[in-house]
Amino acid sequence: MRALCCTAAVLDIAYVNTLKGLAMTATATDIDLSSQKTKAPSRSRFDVSVSGEEIQFATLALAILAAWIGAVAAFGFAGLITGALTMVAVMFVMLVIISRG
């Protein structure tokens, strides 16, 4: 068993020696990193500019939510059910659109 382990270690050393120059290690210093230039991102991750489409979508979503809350306030449980049943139809149409590509 010991001879097998020693033979494996010798083969590993021989294999590593054949790859010398091809292998990259944590202590390799022959790599020139100065030629690699990093491209500056076009937008900062702290950029808070918002497009007009995003504002329209947020306004529409808030209007729908406000109408649903108003229906629940006015009609109670029936207003809650009406909004949920409407969303079932909307999701059905969305699934058909997605499946058709």
Side-chain angles (χ1 to χ4, degrees):
M1 182 73 169
R2 184 178 170 108
L4 182 63
C5 291
C6 292
T7 305
V10 169
L11 289 175
D12 285 342
I13 292 171
Y15 181 69
V16 169
N17 285 336
T18 60
L19 292 179
K20 203 170 201 153
L22 296 177
M24 185 184 336
T25 62
T27 59
T29 58
D30 59 343
I31 300 170
D32 184 23
L33 295 176
S34 63
S35 64
Q36 297 178 355
K37 295 181 181 179
T38 57
K39 184 187 279 188
S42 60
R43 285 180 60 177
S44 170
R45 66 180 195 163
F46 299 111
D47 189 12
V48 292
S49 62
V50 180
S51 70
E53 291 179 0
E54 292 171 341
I55 292 173
Q56 287 177 347
F57 179 76
T59 305
L60 178 65
L62 286 175
I64 292 172
L65 185 63
W68 193 8
I69 290 173
V72 171
F75 303 113
F77 188 65
L80 184 68
I81 292 172
T82 304
L85 290 176
T86 304
M87 288 307 297
V88 169
V90 169
M91 290 309 298
F92 179 74
V93 170
M94 291 298 294
L95 287 173
V96 169
I97 291 171
I98 290 170
S99 67
R100 297 195 75 192

